[in-house]
């Protein structure tokens, strides 16, 4: 008898098959003991409403709520061929058992279990649970296969989450859409996310700046700031003017106190996916979805980083013996010297990055034991890899240590303060060249001084400023808000807040990127520069959607119960009974609501298909016209931002118009036909810019033992420059 191994993606399946000695087949690979096949993500999903009754194909508010006794599964048409392949393999008489090798987590479990259920296969199940797809990890995983029954609770919680989202999401979306004849999508994650952004916008809108004042004392080599009760601000200008008048006759300040404190800053914790997405957004402007896509390639194709969809920033103790091999694997320029420095002494794990209690399904993102070849990476892959490796190496270095100096100076009866610091040990900052040091404390140096010393005053002046509102969200800060949404909850429920914190907040590390993209695609969010704002459509949606669907508390409540289901302490059916009751309540609330919704973004352009005036909307990458009739849904592009620079001013350009009338325009006034632009870009692809040359030379200078007089220039010989 043979064992059928079911992976989630072809790339992972083929890696497993190679390790197990299987040869290629159509949609699977087979050996003497194993058959390896794969899904293409989800092959099976929950049926649409019309799968229960053809009448549901037409959206009608009178059909709601749609509440089937049992939710049905259907094969996704686009991947039905692969499902048939997997089903045939599952039912083969020479297949005795199944190894689920999909991604190790709730969603991966669902992918496999739905396929097995749809195929009506009852064969014994084992589970492969690994965090990387290197040959070593695969071999070790198969040597330690788990009984599939151990994951039944995880399976039930995954099914419960999917079915609950179907019942609530489909019914609420259909009810709102049909009641107001506008495409109004809502759900337990996307709607609270909108509400969080709207709340920030309201805070900004209501914010009234307040002027504040201070006094600066210039002592020549440094400046000190007036303070009272540890605050350098005063909101009464007259008071500060009176103080200045009182002390301006003073010629000297007297050093009243000198406080020196030794401080230690630990290396930042390892990356989980959300932290990596935040950093990639802040540093490179990558969207969360883009970062996840790059990580998937580094994990699946290049096999140099571990599983990306993790919410842990620690590794478990069983990973510690492999750390030396992982460090050696990434020991190539520009990391070779740092790696050699780490490997000079035995690796000593500590609680800053090793903690079993803080690792659930997967450990933090770290390098695998596979040796890296940086020349195989494109620019974006290189940048993400660099973030992960630099963070990984930093945890093996000692803390950054410095002496913080705080000086209190008396001018007359008034107190002034100044601060500085002396670096004692760079520690892990040597890995980052100081770039990661984000301390808010004063970083300058102060001249030597002692208590009682008199310091001549060069100048005294009043300083002014204004309080500022909270900043609008960008993709990095929105990820943080989704991960920790407790402070946006209307009621302070400590238990739910704790659950949201433990379960990762709104959405999961794997779904947040798609949720944000969906909000843009539905024209509920728009971007202005890097900042994110709600659209008029979103703000109106928040006025008509049921209150519970706008709060993170709903997710917290669900996750509490899903965790209990996963632990085997609650039955899935009990949870689903509550969900059905909740669905009935919100549909009744929407139907009976008298709150209005109207389009306030009508253009003067009529739809070519139905004749209605079209809506002008802003997407993530540009502006477009969309027919107001949700069933027509005709779209016409007005402008699209692209990652290409103007040949005159080097700012990013955008495409305006459609069809043959398309033009590429820049804010500086540059215009060119799209055909001309395309021809120019093709020619530029065959050229190497001076910037490219500079980067290439700098990279080669960093390499160990490179003959800079020959190697780079030999490679660049004959290159055509711009």
């Amino acid at each position: 008898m043979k064992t059928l191994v079911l992976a989630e993606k072809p790339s992972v399946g083929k890696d497993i098959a190679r390790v197990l000695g299987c040869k290629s087949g159509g949609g699977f690979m087979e050996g003497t003991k194993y058959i390896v096949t794969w899904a293409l993500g989800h092959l099976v999903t929950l049926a649409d409403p019309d799968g229960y009754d053809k009448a549901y194909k037409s959206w009608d508010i009178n059909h709601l709520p749609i509440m089937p006794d049992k939710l049905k599964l259907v094969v996704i048409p686009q991947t039905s061929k692969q499902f048939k392949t997997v089903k045939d393999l599952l039912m083969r008489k020479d297949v005795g058992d199944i190894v689920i090798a999909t991604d190790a987590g709730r969603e991966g479990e669902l992918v496999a279990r739905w396929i097995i259920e749809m195929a009506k296969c009852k064969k014994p199940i084992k589970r492969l649970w690994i965090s990387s797809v290197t040959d070593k990890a695969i071999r070790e995983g198969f040597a330690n296969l788990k009984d599939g029954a151990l994951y039944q609770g995880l399976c039930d919680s995954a099914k419960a989450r999917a079915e609950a989202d179907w019942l609530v999401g489909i019914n609420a979306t259909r009810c709102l859409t049909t009641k107001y004849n506008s495409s109004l999508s809502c759900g337990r994650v996307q709607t609270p996310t909108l509400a969080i952004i709207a709340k920030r916008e309201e805070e900004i809108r209501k914010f009234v700046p307040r002027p504040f004042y201070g006094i600066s004392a210039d002592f020549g080599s440094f400046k000190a700031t007036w303070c009272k009760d540890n605050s350098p601000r005063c909101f009464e200008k007259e008071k500060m003017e009176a103080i200045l008048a009182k002390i301006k006759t003073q010629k000297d300040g007297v050093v009243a106190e000198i406080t020196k404190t030794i401080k230690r800053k630990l290396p930042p914790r390892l990356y989980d996916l959300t932290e990596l997405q935040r950093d990639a957004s802040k540093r490179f402007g990558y969207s969360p979805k883009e970062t996840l896509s790059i990580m998937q390639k580094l994990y699946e194709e290049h096999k140099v980083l571990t599983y990306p969809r993790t919410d842990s920033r620690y590794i478990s103790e069983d990973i510690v013996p492999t750390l030396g091999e992982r460090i050696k694997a990434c020991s190539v320029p520009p990391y070779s010297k740092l790696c050699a420095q780490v490997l000079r002494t035995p690796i000593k794990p500590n609680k800053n990055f090793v903690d079993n209690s803080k690792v659930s399904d997967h450990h933090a993102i770290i390098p695998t034991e596979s040796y890296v070849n940086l020349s195989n990476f494109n620019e974006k892959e290189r940048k993400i890899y660099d973030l992960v490796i630099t963070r990984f190496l930093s945890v093996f270095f000692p803390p950054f240590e410095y002496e913080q100096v705080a000086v209190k100076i008396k001018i007359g009866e008034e107190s002034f303060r100044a601060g500085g610091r002396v670096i004692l040990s760079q520690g892990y900052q040597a890995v980052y060249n100081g770039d990661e040091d984000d301390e808010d404390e004063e970083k300058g140096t102060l001249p030597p001084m002692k208590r009682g010393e008199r310091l001549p005053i060069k100048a005294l002046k009043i300083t002014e400023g204004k309080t500022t509102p909270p900043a609008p969200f960008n993709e990095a800060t929105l990820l943080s808000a989704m991960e920790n949404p407790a402070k946006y909850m209307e009621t302070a429920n400590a238990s739910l807040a704790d659950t949201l914190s433990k379960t990762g907040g709104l959405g999961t590390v794997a779904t947040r990127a798609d949720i944000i993209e969906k909000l843009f695609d539905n024209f509920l969010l728009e971007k202005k520069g890097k900042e994110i704002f709600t659209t008029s459509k979103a703000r109106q949606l928040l006025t008509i959607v049921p209150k519970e669907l706008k709060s993170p508390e709903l997710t917290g409540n669900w996750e509490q119960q899903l965790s209990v289901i996963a632990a085997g302490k609650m039955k899935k059916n009990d949870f689903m009974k509550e969900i059905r009751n909740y669905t009935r309540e919100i549909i009744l609330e929407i139907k009976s609501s008298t709150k209005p919704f109207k389009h306030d973004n009508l253009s003067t352009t009529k739809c070519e298909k139905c004749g209605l005036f079209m809506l002008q909307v802003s997407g993530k990458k540009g502006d477009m016209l969309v027919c107001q009739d949700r069933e027509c849904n005709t779209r016409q592009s007005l402008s699209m931002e692209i990652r290409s620079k103007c040949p005159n001013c080097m700012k990013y350009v955008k495409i305006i118009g459609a069809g043959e009338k398309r033009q590429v325009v820049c804010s500086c006034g540059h215009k060119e036909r799209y055909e001309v632009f395309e021809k120019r870009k093709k020619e530029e692809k065959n050229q190497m810019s001076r910037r490219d040359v500079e980067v290439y030379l700098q990279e080669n200078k960093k390499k160990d033992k490179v003959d800079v007089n020959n190697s780079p220039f030999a490679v660049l010989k004959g290159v055509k420059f711009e």
Side-chain angles (χ1 to χ4, degrees):
M1 297 297 281
K2 294 186 177 182
T3 296
L4 180 68
V5 180
L6 176 57
E8 190 161 334
K9 300 178 183 70
S11 58
V12 177
K14 290 172 183 177
D15 286 332
I16 293 173
R18 179 176 44 76
V19 172
L20 298 178
C22 300
K23 295 182 180 179
S24 187
F28 67 96
M29 300 178 79
E30 187 167 357
T32 55
K33 185 178 178 183
Y34 294 98
I35 305 168
V36 181
T37 188
W38 44 82
L40 301 168
H42 281 278
L43 297 181
V44 175
T45 189
L46 293 171
D48 287 333
D50 59 352
Y52 301 92
D53 188 331
K54 294 299 180 185
Y56 294 155
K57 197 171 186 70
S58 173
W59 287 30
D60 187 335
I61 198 168
N62 296 311
H63 292 154
L64 305 175
I66 299 170
M67 204 80 67
D69 293 334
K70 186 178 187 302
L71 294 186
K72 296 193 297 188
L73 295 174
V74 293
V75 177
I76 298 172
Q78 295 88 336
T79 53
S80 58
K81 182 179 177 181
Q82 183 61 18
F83 172 77
K84 185 179 184 306
T85 298
V86 176
K87 181 181 178 181
D88 290 346
L89 293 169
L90 285 167
M91 305 312 291
R92 263 175 52 169
K93 291 181 180 179
D94 62 339
V95 170
D97 59 353
I98 304 159
V99 171
I100 293 177
T102 49
D103 289 350
R106 188 164 72 184
E107 199 62 25
E109 196 71 21
L110 189 64
V111 167
R113 299 291 186 135
W114 270 354
I115 292 171
I116 294 168
E117 182 180 334
M118 190 69 186
K120 295 182 172 59
C121 180
K122 304 292 184 183
K123 294 175 182 178
I125 293 172
K126 292 181 181 177
R127 191 50 159 106
L128 176 72
W129 198 269
I130 56 177
S131 290
S132 64
V133 287
T134 62
D135 291 7
K136 181 180 179 182
I138 292 168
R139 282 193 292 268
E140 289 178 352
F142 271 89
N144 295 281
L145 291 173
K146 310 293 184 184
D147 187 339
L150 296 175
Y151 298 89
Q152 187 58 49
L154 183 67
C155 169
D156 289 342
S157 70
K159 289 180 178 179
R161 193 276 310 155
E163 292 179 13
D165 277 335
W166 190 97
L167 287 170
V168 173
I170 280 184
N171 280 291
T173 295
R174 284 197 172 207
C175 198
L176 287 166
T177 298
T178 53
K179 182 179 176 70
Y180 298 103
N181 191 30
S182 181
S183 180
L184 297 172
S185 176
C186 67
R188 67 172 177 91
V189 175
Q190 56 177 309
T191 314
T193 301
L194 276 182
I196 286 172
I197 301 169
K199 183 177 181 181
R200 173 62 57 84
E201 291 174 348
E202 184 68 14
E203 290 172 356
I204 296 170
R205 197 159 42 246
K206 290 182 176 179
F207 185 84
V208 178
R210 291 182 66 194
F212 60 83
Y213 309 90
I215 300 176
S216 174
D218 186 351
F219 292 99
S221 58
F222 72 98
K223 292 181 180 179
T225 304
W226 173 88
C227 66
K228 185 174 183 180
D229 300 326
N230 292 321
S231 174
R233 295 181 177 184
C234 176
F235 293 97
E236 301 173 42
K237 186 175 183 180
E238 296 79 7
K239 181 178 179 180
M240 298 313 293
E241 289 174 339
I243 291 173
L244 180 62
K246 188 169 62 174
I247 64 174
K248 67 180 181 181
T249 57
Q250 300 289 327
K251 294 182 179 180
D252 299 319
V254 179
V255 179
E257 291 179 15
I258 300 177
T259 305
K260 296 182 179 181
T261 309
I262 303 297
K263 295 197 172 183
R264 300 168 76 248
K265 184 183 177 187
L266 293 170
R269 284 181 283 139
L270 296 166
Y271 277 120
D272 63 3
L273 178 59
T274 302
E275 179 71 4
L276 181 63
Q277 288 170 320
R278 272 195 293 262
D279 272 6
S281 177
K282 286 188 289 188
R283 297 180 185 220
F284 313 128
Y286 297 167
S287 72
K289 189 169 185 177
E290 188 175 15
T291 300
L292 177 55
S293 176
I294 296 166
M295 266 299 306
Q296 283 293 134
K297 286 195 71 177
L298 292 167
Y299 164 64
E300 291 178 11
E301 184 178 318
H302 300 296
K303 301 178 183 61
V304 292
L305 296 181
T306 56
Y307 184 70
R309 291 178 169 91
T310 176
D311 59 0
S312 176
R313 300 184 67 184
Y314 295 83
I315 61 172
S316 49
E317 291 174 2
D318 62 312
I319 301 296
V320 173
T322 71
L323 291 176
E325 196 171 344
R326 294 172 192 269
I327 295 169
K328 289 176 185 176
C330 57
S331 184
V332 296
Y335 314 111
S336 49
K337 291 181 180 178
L338 291 170
C339 291
Q341 191 174 340
V342 173
L343 293 173
R344 274 192 208 117
T345 56
I347 293 171
K348 295 180 180 179
N350 60 66
K351 283 290 184 180
N352 190 43
F353 67 97
V354 181
D355 192 335
N356 285 356
S357 67
K358 295 181 179 178
V359 177
S360 52
D361 293 344
H362 302 283
H363 58 67
I365 300 170
I366 59 174
T368 65
E369 299 97 323
S370 294
Y371 282 85
V372 66
N373 184 350
L374 296 180
S375 64
N376 290 338
F377 299 170
N378 61 34
E379 180 187 0
K380 291 182 177 180
E381 291 165 355
R382 176 67 188 272
K383 285 180 176 179
I384 296 299
Y385 181 78
D386 183 73
L387 284 180
V388 174
I389 298 306
T390 307
R391 179 67 62 93
F392 172 69
L393 293 176
S394 74
V395 302
F396 301 106
F397 281 74
F400 170 54
E401 294 187 1
Y402 58 97
E403 182 182 64
Q404 191 70 41
V405 182
V407 178
K408 182 179 178 181
I409 301 169
K410 298 287 285 188
I411 300 179
E413 298 298 319
E414 300 298 322
S415 295
F416 287 71
R417 70 179 184 191
R421 71 181 182 190
V422 177
I423 295 175
L424 304 176
S425 171
Q426 282 284 355
Y428 79 89
Q429 284 289 338
V431 180
Y432 289 97
N433 295 317
D435 290 345
E436 282 293 290
D437 183 16
D438 57 358
E439 289 282 354
D440 292 329
E441 295 170 293
E442 294 92 340
K443 297 180 183 179
T445 56
L446 294 174
M449 62 184 83
K450 56 187 178 181
R451 189 171 180 177
E453 184 178 350
R454 303 189 74 85
L455 305 173
I457 300 170
K458 302 291 184 182
L460 290 167
K461 68 174 183 178
I462 287 182
T463 57
E464 296 185 23
K466 285 185 177 181
T467 56
T468 57
F473 281 111
N474 55 43
E475 286 185 292
T477 55
L478 181 57
L479 282 171
S480 298
M482 293 176 73
E483 187 179 33
N484 298 290
K487 65 180 180 180
Y488 301 98
M489 292 162 62
E490 291 186 8
T491 59
N493 186 317
S495 175
L496 287 181
D498 184 57
T499 297
L500 279 168
S501 175
K502 289 179 179 177
T503 57
L506 289 172
T508 66
V509 290
T511 61
R512 287 190 196 108
D514 284 332
I515 290 162
I516 294 172
E517 290 296 319
K518 186 175 181 180
L519 292 172
F520 279 111
D521 291 343
N522 288 327
F523 309 114
L524 296 168
L525 291 181
E526 60 183 344
K527 247 186 171 183
K528 296 176 182 177
K530 290 186 177 181
E531 295 174 339
I532 296 173
F533 298 91
T534 57
T535 62
S536 170
K537 179 181 178 181
R539 291 189 291 275
Q540 290 191 77
L541 173 63
L542 290 171
T543 66
I544 60 178
V545 78
K547 183 179 179 181
E548 293 84 355
L549 272 177
K550 293 187 288 186
S551 172
E553 286 188 49
L554 181 64
T555 290
N557 196 347
W558 283 22
E559 287 295 346
Q560 277 186 339
Q561 297 178 77
L562 291 173
S563 297
V564 178
I565 293 171
K569 297 178 181 178
M570 179 181 179
K571 291 183 178 179
K572 169 179 170 276
N573 288 343
D574 293 338
F575 171 73
M576 292 309 302
K577 186 177 180 180
E578 291 183 22
I579 295 299
R580 289 171 181 274
N581 290 335
Y582 173 68
T583 303
R584 292 186 186 95
E585 290 172 7
I586 61 172
I587 296 307
L588 180 61
E589 181 180 338
I590 295 171
K591 284 183 175 181
S592 59
S593 173
T594 57
K595 295 174 181 175
F597 178 92
K598 67 175 183 177
H599 297 298
D600 58 1
N601 56 338
L602 284 173
S603 71
T604 56
T605 303
K606 287 187 176 182
C607 176
E608 294 179 354
K609 288 186 179 180
C610 67
L612 292 175
F613 285 107
M614 302 183 81
L615 308 173
Q616 183 167 341
V617 296
S618 295
K620 189 175 183 180
K621 295 181 179 179
D623 299 330
M624 66 174 64
L625 295 174
V626 179
C627 183
Q628 62 176 293
D629 188 327
R630 61 179 177 81
E631 293 184 354
C632 177
N633 201 32
T634 299
R635 298 187 176 196
Q636 179 182 326
S637 176
L638 290 177
S639 70
M640 182 173 66
E641 295 177 1
I642 55 176
R643 300 287 292 181
S644 189
K645 292 184 177 179
C646 172
N648 293 340
C649 67
M650 301 309 290
K651 292 179 181 177
Y652 285 115
V653 297
K654 63 182 179 181
I655 300 171
I656 62 170
E660 295 180 356
K661 295 181 179 180
R662 281 186 299 175
Q663 284 187 313
V664 174
V665 301
C666 177
S667 58
C668 74
H670 170 76
K671 287 184 180 180
E672 60 184 328
R673 295 199 321 275
Y674 185 73
E675 292 79 7
V676 175
F677 164 78
E678 268 197 323
K679 183 179 178 181
R680 178 168 58 81
K681 295 307 290 183
K682 283 180 182 177
E683 291 174 353
E684 288 175 357
K685 279 185 179 179
N686 299 321
Q687 298 176 337
M688 194 173 190
S689 69
R690 296 187 185 280
R691 171 63 180 159
D692 293 332
V693 176
E694 290 173 9
V695 171
Y696 183 86
L697 293 176
Q698 288 299 321
E699 287 297 321
N700 275 274
K701 283 180 182 179
K702 294 177 184 177
K703 292 183 179 180
D704 296 344
K705 300 179 181 179
V706 166
D707 184 353
V708 293
N709 292 320
N710 294 317
S711 300
F713 297 103
V715 174
L716 295 172
K717 184 179 179 181
V719 171
K720 182 181 177 183
F721 296 101
E722 289 181 334

